[in-house]
Amino acid sequence: MTSSDERHIPVMRQRCLDLLAPALKQPGAVVVDCTLGLGGHSEALLAAFPEARLIALDRDPVALKLAGERLAPYGDRATLVHAVYDELPGVLDRLGTPRVQGILFDLGVSSMQLDEADRGFAYAQDAPLDMRMDQTTGISAADVLNTYPPGELVRILRAYGEEKQAKRIVEAVVRERAKEPFSNSARLVEVIREALPQAAKRTGGNPAKRTFQALRIEVNGELAVLERAVPAAVDALAVGGRIAVLSYHSLEDRLVKQVFAAGAANTAPPGLPVVPERYQPRLRLLTRGAELPTEEEVAENRRAAPARLRGAERIREVQDV
């Protein structure tokens, strides 16, 4: 296993630091890394803001161990917690830190999960079809493929993979699983390849990419978790606090965009001559749309290519309406 800092280049690191900086320069600031991974962003935050304390969450015990080694030089400035990011309110409550100054999400699969073949995330190498970010709990991708009804599999591939050929792929999967249950990724890739019409194989990279994305999202409940996590994170921000979210596909980015847009909107009934404070926006958007990585960064780190970054600042408390 390579060391954590050798194989992990944090995506849009400097831009994330710049977005969060105004909120984290004050002494006693607390920043939450909701997706610790191998600790690249967390390390950058601790180094850039020497007065800040870090709380970092990850559902993957292996990532927590590796990141813990990486962040050990920062001592008690870093608190690492085994939790999924929608558990943020409970974590902050336990730590006696109900409000924080900065929050970062780097969504999707961590470099470590992609690089460790036996996790089954990467379609480019043969591995057990697992795909659980926390291998101590839940069902695997093989369980989903072998046990879900065909209609449910089609729904998942369409909704989470935006796969136009979902029906063809599922028909082939159902045929094959009747002969022998799926256990490894190479067989699934082959079944997908054979199921697709020639034209579909020529576009958009590896033909298995969308199916693997859909299975991963289903196995880890990613979109449901994100739907709960982003509003909870906004609620946890102190006034003047800032949040930055890196997403890697349109489904994630759309959810983040919707939460930020709702927070930045005026909610007053039409026609009021003066808008009471409780109807005024509680967020200020810090990015115009979603920001993309630079060409230089993508050249240095191909995993940055699909990244979309959005940021917002909490500008007022919410009053009871």
Side-chain angles (χ1 to χ4, degrees):
M1 190 185 275
T2 50
S3 79
S4 62
D5 44 357
E6 260 173 38
R7 61 182 169 184
H8 177 50
I9 305 168
V11 173
M12 297 180 78
R13 172 174 52 195
Q14 192 54 49
R15 186 62 187 125
C16 289
L17 294 176
D18 292 346
L19 275 177
L20 296 173
L24 297 183
K25 285 178 174 165
Q26 54 192 337
V30 177
V31 59
V32 182
D33 184 345
C34 288
T35 46
L36 173 64
L38 288 170
H41 283 110
S42 279
E43 184 178 46
L45 288 163
L46 287 164
F49 308 109
E51 301 282 343
R53 283 196 309 113
L54 170 84
I55 297 169
L57 281 56
D58 207 291
R59 62 168 82 184
D60 186 339
V62 181
L64 282 166
K65 179 178 178 294
L66 288 170
E69 292 164 8
R70 181 178 192 159
L71 302 179
Y74 295 96
D76 60 5
R77 286 181 59 207
T79 304
L80 276 49
V81 184
H82 182 218
V84 186
Y85 42 79
D86 65 339
E87 299 174 84
L88 177 65
V91 170
L92 294 180
D93 197 42
R94 286 201 305 278
L95 295 173
T97 315
R99 289 301 178 90
V100 299
Q101 284 65 47
I103 297 179
L104 175 68
F105 286 88
D106 181 12
L107 301 170
V109 190
S110 79
S111 299
M112 179 203 68
Q113 289 162 341
L114 284 170
D115 290 341
E116 301 302 328
D118 61 358
R119 303 298 290 267
F121 286 101
Y123 38 79
Q125 48 194 345
D126 192 24
L129 276 167
D130 192 317
M131 298 197 198
R132 289 172 298 165
M133 290 178 181
D134 179 353
Q135 289 187 302
T136 66
T137 184
I139 61 168
S140 69
D143 296 330
V144 171
L145 275 175
N146 293 326
T147 66
Y148 277 31
E152 185 63 2
L153 284 175
V154 171
R155 184 193 69 77
I156 288 165
L157 295 200
R158 283 184 180 151
Y160 299 159
E162 300 178 287
E163 174 56 79
K164 294 185 177 70
Q165 305 291 336
K167 207 157 182 301
R168 275 179 186 250
I169 291 170
V170 170
E171 283 168 0
V173 163
V174 169
R175 247 191 338 267
E176 285 297 313
R177 78 185 187 186
K179 300 175 195 168
E180 186 190 339
F182 282 90
S183 59
N184 274 49
S185 56
R187 182 171 166 229
L188 175 59
V189 171
E190 191 53 38
V191 167
I192 292 167
R193 209 182 284 279
E194 287 176 8
L196 293 179
Q198 281 303 322
K201 292 182 203 178
R202 287 196 289 269
T203 57
N206 192 306
K209 185 166 93 176
R210 290 177 294 276
T211 297
F212 272 63
Q213 174 181 299
L215 288 170
R216 191 198 84 215
I217 289 172
E218 171 65 16
V219 165
N220 297 290
E222 287 174 48
L223 290 178
V225 168
L226 190 61
E227 271 182 47
R228 295 188 291 269
V230 180
V234 168
D235 287 344
L237 283 176
V239 172
R242 290 180 163 215
I243 178 171
V245 184
L246 280 162
S247 8
Y248 293 85
H249 55 76
S250 57
L251 302 168
E252 290 174 340
D253 184 53
R254 198 176 305 142
L255 271 173
V256 177
K257 178 184 177 181
Q258 287 166 351
V259 175
F260 283 9
N266 171 341
T267 57
L272 290 185
V274 177
V275 177
E277 188 182 332
R278 68 176 181 271
Y279 295 126
Q280 288 173 10
R282 60 180 182 142
L283 292 181
R284 177 171 72 88
L285 302 183
L286 300 173
T287 46
R288 294 186 62 170
E291 292 187 4
L292 310 180
T294 62
E295 286 177 21
E296 294 78 23
E297 180 173 3
V298 173
E300 181 186 319
N301 178 13
R302 62 187 169 78
R303 286 178 186 160
R308 303 287 178 269
L309 175 64
R310 292 180 187 270
E313 179 184 6
R314 181 74 179 261
I315 54 175
R316 72 168 183 87
E317 286 294 352
V318 173
Q319 297 175 328
D320 293 331
V321 177

